[in-house]
Amino acid sequence: MEQARDRIIVVGAGFAGVSAVHHLLCAGVPGERVLLLERAPHVGGRAFSFVDRESGHVLDNGQHVLLGCCTSFTRLLHQLTRHPGVRFQPLLSIPVYAHGRFCSIESRRLPGPLHLVPSLLRYAHVSLDGRLRIAQAAFAMLAARPGDLDAHSFRAFLERHGQTDEVIRFVWDLVGTAILNGHADDISAGLAVESFQIGFLRGPEPSRLGLFTRPLGDLAAEAVASLQARGVEVRRGRAVRVVADEAGVTSVRLADGSSLAARCVILAVPHDQVRSVLPDGAIDRAAWLGRARYSPILNVYLEYPRTVMDADVAASFAMGGMFVFNRGRLLGDAQLDGRLLSISISAADAYRSWDADEIAREVEAAVGEMFPTAREEGASWRKVVWQPKATFLAEPGLGLKRPGVRSRLRGLYLAGDWVDTGWPACLEGAVRSGELAAAAAREDGFA
Ligand SMILES: Cc1cc2nc3c(=O)[nH]c(=O)nc-3n(C[C@H](O)[C@H](O)[C@H](O)COP(=O)(O)OP(=O)(O)OC[C@H]3O[C@@H](n4cnc5c(N)ncnc54)[C@H](O)[C@@H]3O)c2cc1C
C-alpha cells in the first residue's frame, strides 16, 4: 500500500468531486495532500462532451442549463476556468410553442412573484380562467413548508391549490419537468415546491436562464487542470472498497487490487454506486439509496442546411415537453447559428423502447411544427443521445429524505447531486454537496 496516511481521497471527478477538492484547497489544505480518483477516461461525470465521428461536432451528453439561483456552480466555474462559458439571460425569456403559435414565459423587473405576472396573464396557451389560477398556486408555494409536503405528489399539491389539468400541463409541468427531471405525478411536492421557491418565485434574478457557451467537457477538464496546477494528484482508477478500522477510514481499495492509504475520504459517486463501496452500516438513510430510481433524459441533435431558428432557446409540449437550443449560436459558431439545434427531453421514460430513428423522426417533426423553415428543409444530420441514468427520480417520500454529507465512519463524507442539499439533482446541488462535504471534513479536523 502507498504510504500517505495524511492524504484526503476524493472519489469521483464529477462536479461534486471537483467542488469538494476545490473547497478543501480553499480551506487551506495543500494540494499535495489531495488525490482525486476517477474511474472513467473523462472528468465531469454526467456532464461530459464527445466528438461525434460522423459530423465532427462536439456534443454534450445532454444540453444543460442553469438558473440565476445556481450561484455556487457559477462561482466554481469563475474560480476554476479562464472563461466560465455560461451566458445568463438578463431576464428569463422562453418562447413556448403550442396550438400553432408562440407565447413567452418572461420575467419583468418586479419583486417576486409579481415578476412573472404580466407574461402569465398574456400566456394564451391556457384559458383566462387558468391564467388567473396560476397566482393561487404560486402564493401557496411561497407560503408552504416543503418538508411538510414530501409525501405528496406535485400534482396533488397543484390540484389542492386550484390548478386544472391545462394549467398543470402547460405551465407547471413544462417548467417542473425541466428542473426536476420528473413529471408532476411522479415527483415529490416537497422538492418541487422548494425548487420553485428558490428558482422561480422569489424574483427576476434567480429565475434568469443560464445557457452554456462552451462544451461541458471542456469546462470540467479545465477545472480539473486548475486543481492539478495547485498540486492535486488526479488518478485513473475504480474504487471498490473504502476500508476502515475502529478509528475510522484507513484506505481505499482499487479494482486493480492496489490500495491507497487515506485519512479522510469524500465519496462523490452516483447514488447507486455508494453502497457497493462502503462497509455495511457506514451511512444513515442507506435504504434511500436502494429505493431511488433513475429518470432518463433524451437529447437529440439536428443539423439543417439553412438557418431555421432565430431564438437562443424555445420550448414545446411535443413529446411530453421539450426544450430546443440553438447550439450553433450558443457555441459562437456563426456557420451553425440557427442550423445546429440541440433538443432536450427530460423525464423521457416513455421513449425507453423507441429506437433512435423513431425518436429522431418524431423530434424532427415537432421542430418542424415550431419552425416552418425546418419543416421545409428537413434535417441533414441527426444524432440521438440517450442518458438512462441522468438523475435520480425525486419520488414522493424520497425528495427531501436524502442522506446528508456525514457518515457513521470517522473520516468518511458523502457528496453528489443526490445528497441532501435541498436542491434537485443538478449541477448546483452537486457543487453544493462538495462544498458541504469539504466543510464537514474541515470542521472534524481532517482538513
Ligand atoms: C442528459 C443530462 C442532462 C442534464 N441536464 C441538467 C441541467 O440542465 N442542469 C443541471 O443543473 N443538471 C443537469 N443534469 C444533471 C447533472 O449533470 C448532474 O446532477 C451532475 O453532473 C451530477 O454531478 P455529480 O458529481 O454528483 O455526479 P457524477 O457527475 O455522476 O460524478 C460521479 C463521478 O464518479 C465516478 N465514479 C463512479 N464510481 C466510481 C468508483 N467506484 N471509483 C471512482 N470513480 C467513480 C463517475 O465516473 C463520475 O465521474 C443533467 C444530467 C444529464 C445526464
Side-chain angles (χ1 to χ4, degrees):
M1 184 189 308
E2 282 184 32
Q3 293 305 316
R5 297 207 57 83
D6 207 27
R7 181 161 50 194
I8 302 176
I9 298 181
V10 176
V11 183
F15 276 98
V18 168
S19 163
V21 174
H22 174 62
H23 286 98
L24 288 170
L25 303 193
C26 292
V29 176
E32 293 68 23
R33 263 190 70 199
V34 183
L35 186 149
L36 178 60
L37 183 70
E38 170 55 54
R39 71 172 178 188
H42 65 269
V43 294
R46 274 169 284 157
F48 69 92
S49 309
F50 60 96
V51 179
D52 176 63
R53 282 213 210 101
E54 189 191 337
S55 64
H57 295 316
V58 179
L59 305 178
D60 292 337
N61 64 322
Q63 187 75 39
H64 285 53
V65 290
L66 301 174
L67 290 174
C69 56
C70 297
T71 49
S72 296
F73 180 78
T74 313
R75 195 176 321 115
L76 183 94
L77 287 186
H78 276 280
Q79 289 168 340
L80 294 184
T81 63
R82 264 175 304 115
H83 166 39
V86 184
R87 168 151 50 81
F88 279 94
Q89 296 180 328
L91 287 170
L92 173 74
S93 174
I94 308 176
V96 182
Y97 177 86
H99 318 308
R101 64 162 154 167
F102 282 96
C103 294
S104 286
I105 296 182
E106 290 171 347
S107 279
R108 289 273 181 85
R109 292 199 191 284
L110 293 168
L114 299 178
H115 63 300
L116 293 169
V117 169
S119 89
L120 290 176
L121 281 177
R122 279 184 279 109
Y123 188 67
H125 295 329
V126 294
S127 61
L128 184 59
D129 169 65
R131 283 176 246 167
L132 296 173
R133 287 169 183 270
I134 296 171
Q136 189 185 340
F139 282 108
M141 283 186 201
L142 282 172
R145 287 208 318 232
D148 297 342
L149 300 172
D150 195 39
H152 308 281
S153 75
F154 188 35
R155 174 178 286 276
F157 172 88
L158 292 169
E159 285 175 347
R160 198 170 331 118
H161 294 285
Q163 307 303 289
T164 55
D165 276 351
E166 66 154 355
V167 188
I168 293 174
R169 171 159 186 239
F170 289 108
V171 180
W172 300 111
D173 205 33
L174 180 74
V175 181
T177 303
I179 304 176
L180 289 126
N181 193 20
H183 287 289
D185 301 84
D186 303 325
I187 53 173
S188 143
L191 194 57
V193 165
E194 188 157 31
S195 303
F196 273 96
Q197 286 177 346
I198 296 170
F200 272 91
L201 301 175
R202 294 228 171 104
E205 193 62 23
S207 59
R208 294 181 308 144
L209 207 58
L211 301 164
F212 283 91
T213 57
R214 294 181 62 193
L216 292 169
D218 289 5
L219 294 172
E222 204 175 306
V224 169
S226 116
L227 299 174
Q228 284 177 294
R230 286 148 78 190
V232 173
E233 182 186 352
V234 179
R235 197 180 282 202
R236 177 85 52 79
R238 182 162 68 86
V240 289
R241 200 79 183 154
V242 173
V243 182
D245 61 18
E246 325 69 61
V249 165
T250 58
S251 62
V252 174
R253 198 177 316 134
L254 306 191
D256 65 6
S258 64
S259 280
L260 298 168
R263 184 162 175 251
C264 169
V265 169
I266 297 180
L267 191 61
V269 301
H271 75 269
D272 61 340
Q273 312 285 308
V274 173
R275 283 206 297 192
S276 67
V277 181
L278 293 182
D280 283 346
I283 57 173
D284 292 326
R285 297 186 176 180
W288 185 95
L289 298 166
R291 285 175 58 208
R293 293 189 290 138
Y294 276 110
S295 180
I297 297 182
L298 190 55
N299 223 92
V300 178
Y301 291 91
L302 298 175
E303 184 178 343
Y304 290 88
R306 281 205 297 139
T307 295
V308 298
M309 176 180 187
D310 193 30
D312 288 352
V313 58
S316 144
F317 299 96
M319 301 194 73
M322 61 190 225
F323 284 76
V324 184
F325 299 88
N326 183 346
R327 185 165 173 90
R329 177 180 303 168
L330 292 176
L331 294 191
D333 185 332
Q335 300 286 324
L336 291 173
D337 183 1
R339 292 182 45 221
L340 179 61
L341 311 187
S342 167
I343 296 99
S344 176
I345 300 169
S346 294
D349 245 326
Y351 306 104
R352 268 188 200 277
S353 61
W354 289 35
D355 68 37
D357 286 346
E358 247 178 317
I359 291 171
R361 261 200 314 275
E362 197 75 13
V363 169
E364 193 181 337
V367 171
E369 280 219 12
M370 298 168 79
F371 307 114
T373 322
R375 187 168 54 240
E376 288 154 21
E377 292 287 327
S380 50
W381 169 83
R382 307 157 186 85
K383 174 91 183 175
V384 174
V385 184
W386 175 246
Q387 294 283 276
K389 291 185 161 190
T391 68
F392 75 86
L393 179 63
E395 289 176 280
L398 280 185
L400 296 175
K401 297 190 179 119
R402 294 135 73 182
V405 292
R406 288 181 192 278
S407 75
R408 294 186 194 146
L409 272 187
R410 200 169 146 64
L412 172 70
Y413 301 89
L414 305 171
D417 61 354
W418 49 273
V419 161
D420 182 15
T421 55
W423 284 71
C426 63
L427 293 165
E428 178 71 9
V431 166
R432 284 181 184 237
S433 74
E435 183 171 0
L436 288 171
R442 182 167 177 237
E443 241 172 70
D444 297 348
F446 290 100

